[in-house]
């Protein structure tokens, strides 16, 4: 099946620890995105990448880091510098930046304990 | 960035049409209007998009005002599975820009 796989679905982290969220796609899409969603709110853009080995900061990049070494993969690291990391994290892809339709994964719910 | 304004919530009865409004008075001439929806605990899914003309697809219709300052997403026969948050979005930076989501409209569908 073609699609986007985010793992794990639920993740618990202790304060002060870094954690990496996985996003893998087999849609052969060039553009990939990470969003954060807090309860009752819309999605906020963390980072995006239009091509392998290149990525840009979104609106709330502080405390997060990404890499794009392969077209299929765009992992997000939530570092200890992120003050309020508990949230729902969503990965998305588009065929290219100029295309309209974005495809979203099922999300990872991160909780800091 | 051009902004959109949507009602926080709306209710509909099952099998009746639903009209979800969106105001975007600062829209520019090249801004496409996109609609996505998000079911509970899931990622958003694309619904429809358009520039000037009304658009139809298997999920919905998009009616765009002549001055493009508002648009309406039309679900022709609401089902319980249509209960979701609906987002009206003008991609930042024009048609090739990033999707920036507001709070959207939470649609409830009553049986």
């Amino acid at each position: 099946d073609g699609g986007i796989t985010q793992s794990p679905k639920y993740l618990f982290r202790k304060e002060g620890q870094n954690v990496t969220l996985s996003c893998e796609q087999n849609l052969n899409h060039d553009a990939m995105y990470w969003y954060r969603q807090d309860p009752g709110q819309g999605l906020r853009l963390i980072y995006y990448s239009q091509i392998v080995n290149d990525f840009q900061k979104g609106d709330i990049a502080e405390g997060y880091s990404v890499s794009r070494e392969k077209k299929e993969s765009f992992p997000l690291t939530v570092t200890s510098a992120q003050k309020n990391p508990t949230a729902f994290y969503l990965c998305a892809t588009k065929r290219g930046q100029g295309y309209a339709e974005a495809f979203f994964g099922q999300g990872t719910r991160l909780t800091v304990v | 960035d051009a902004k959109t304004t949507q009602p926080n919530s709306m209710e509909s009865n099952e099998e009746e049409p639903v009209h979800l409004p969106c105001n975007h008075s600062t829209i520019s001439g090249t801004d496409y209007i996109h609609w996505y929806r998000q079911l509970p605990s899931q990622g958003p899914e694309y619904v429809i998009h358009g520039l000037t003309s009304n658009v139809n697809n298997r999920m919905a219709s998009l009616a765009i005002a002549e001055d493009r300052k508002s648009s309406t997403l039309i679900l022709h026969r609401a089902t319980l599975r249509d209960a979701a948050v609906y987002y009206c979005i003008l991609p930042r930076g024009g048609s090739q820009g990033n999707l920036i989501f507001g709070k959207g409209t939470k649609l409830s569908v009553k049986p």
Side-chain angles (χ1 to χ4, degrees):
Chain A
D1 262 3
I4 301 165
T5 302
Q6 288 190 244
S7 61
K9 189 171 182 178
Y10 298 95
L11 187 57
F12 296 87
R13 184 196 99 173
K14 291 184 179 179
E15 279 193 43
Q17 287 182 339
N18 292 355
V19 63
T20 298
L21 281 58
S22 170
C23 178
E24 302 281 330
Q25 56 108 351
N26 60 5
L27 299 170
N28 200 33
H29 286 177
D30 285 318
M32 297 188 73
Y33 307 81
W34 274 106
Y35 289 89
R36 167 185 173 137
Q37 187 173 33
D38 294 287
Q41 305 297 311
L43 283 68
R44 291 185 290 169
L45 183 63
I46 305 172
Y47 268 99
Y48 62 102
S49 167
Q50 299 180 34
I51 197 167
V52 175
N53 292 322
D54 187 45
F55 49 83
Q56 287 79 40
K57 293 181 179 180
D59 297 320
I60 56 164
E62 186 175 349
Y64 300 97
S65 66
V66 293
S67 62
R68 186 85 188 276
E69 297 176 1
K70 299 185 301 181
K71 188 175 187 177
E72 302 79 19
S73 179
F74 191 41
L76 174 74
T77 297
V78 184
T79 74
S80 56
Q82 170 50 236
K83 299 304 179 190
N84 296 296
T86 295
F88 188 44
Y89 290 87
L90 288 154
C91 176
T93 73
K94 285 205 291 183
R95 189 178 301 174
Q97 184 71 344
Y99 287 82
E101 184 173 359
F103 297 82
F104 283 81
Q106 292 300 299
T108 292
R109 197 167 295 278
L110 173 64
T111 302
V112 173
V113 296
Chain B
D1 295 341
K3 291 189 177 179
T4 62
T5 304
Q6 299 177 253
N8 290 334
S9 62
M10 291 184 64
E11 274 191 358
S12 172
N13 294 318
E14 199 175 10
E15 298 191 3
E16 289 185 357
V18 181
H19 290 232
L20 295 161
C22 181
N23 287 323
H24 29 77
S25 58
T26 59
I27 192 170
S28 74
T30 57
D31 283 340
Y32 277 77
I33 302 155
H34 293 232
W35 284 82
Y36 281 73
R37 72 179 186 181
Q38 186 176 21
L39 279 65
S41 298
Q42 294 190 26
E45 65 173 338
Y46 167 83
V47 177
I48 201 166
H49 78 285
L51 183 62
T52 55
S53 304
N54 294 345
V55 185
N56 300 294
N57 66 20
R58 64 175 179 82
M59 289 182 70
S61 295
L62 176 60
I64 301 172
E66 199 169 328
D67 63 6
R68 299 204 336 117
K69 293 185 177 182
S70 66
S71 60
T72 303
L73 180 71
I74 302 166
L75 307 179
H76 295 286
R77 288 185 65 198
T79 69
L80 298 178
R81 288 175 296 179
D82 291 322
V85 177
Y86 287 79
Y87 298 97
C88 169
I89 300 166
L90 305 182
R92 176 184 291 165
S95 62
Q96 298 188 9
N98 294 323
L99 300 174
I100 305 300
F101 290 73
K103 293 186 179 181
T105 297
K106 184 174 183 179
L107 176 66
S108 302
V109 180
K110 296 184 290 184

